[in-house]
Amino acid sequence: MAGTDFYGILGVDRSADQTEIQRAYRKLARKYHPDINKDPDAEDRFKEISEAYDVLSEPETRRRYDTFGADFRQVPPDVDPETWARAKAARESPFGGSRFDTGSFDTGSFDTGDVDIEDLLGGIFGGRARRRGPMPGADQEAELELTVEEAHAGGRRTLTLPGPRTIEVNIPAGVTDGRRIRLAGQGGRGTDGAPPGDLYLLVHLAPHPRYRVDGRDLALDLPLTPWEAALGTTVTLPIPGGEAKLKVPPGTSTGRRLRLRGKGLPNPRGTAGDLYAEARVLVPAKPTDEERQLFEQLAAVSTFDPRGSGR
């Protein structure tokens, strides 16, 4: 975490709004997703990108990161930013020490007051700092792999973590790849009665044999016969949790994307994603004699030229 620049990872300015942050994340996620990018370093890069987006997309978490930097998860929530900044500067001072006696030398405008630097920063900086009194538990992180169907439906799930220990997780319906689920109090244990840290579950959607995932949107291939593509038809598509009817317009060619609005991953706080069916016109690999005859008749009467200017 030390020195991590989440803005730099996403390639955005510190003044970037949520739309810019989301746009940058989607662009980088598509580039470095390990299901797409087979470079050995792509997975680690994707995790960095996901962590940066998770921090900067949540206003309160972003505020704490902007205030405390890379140590934002370790700083107790009740620490005043100015007090923390003074204490950090004092801890890094060449004079050393853990409690400053302002009467022993002239501090000028730098007034540490009665700040016990070891108590405040002992869990962050290490070194000569030693713990005094109760210390909150450290935050922890684990990966949670879900299928597209599990992410769509949400619900309860039992996880076994190192230790070993078993916990129950409430997965929100429509959780997306790269998001984090926070389990308050399920992290490292505190000392001397201090509260435990939090556990963050990093969601990873497993590759699916049918669906391609882009944020909340889903896409799948739609095989069509030449006559279905030419004349139009209505097909039944599998979607997470059931089926849906899709009308294919006449004159549909390979590559055309047909949208089923709201049939992607749900969004408890807004608009659900869409499902896109991408047409794939297929022909018989071994046409029968009758099929061949009909295709020959079509070829004889048709004026359609897919390579010409009249298409």
Side-chain angles (χ1 to χ4, degrees), residues 161-197:
L161 301 175
R165 63 188 177 113
T166 301
I167 61 173
E168 290 289 327
V169 182
N170 185 27
I171 301 170
V175 65
T176 54
D177 191 81
R179 299 296 298 179
R180 278 176 167 76
I181 299 175
R182 175 175 172 264
L183 301 180
Q186 295 292 338
R189 294 182 179 179
T191 63
D192 299 330

Side-chain angles (χ1 to χ4, degrees), residues 11-23:
V12 298
D13 295 333
R14 299 186 73 87
S15 59
D17 60 23
Q18 291 300 312
T19 300
E20 293 174 290
I21 289 172
Q22 185 179 66
R23 186 184 301 118

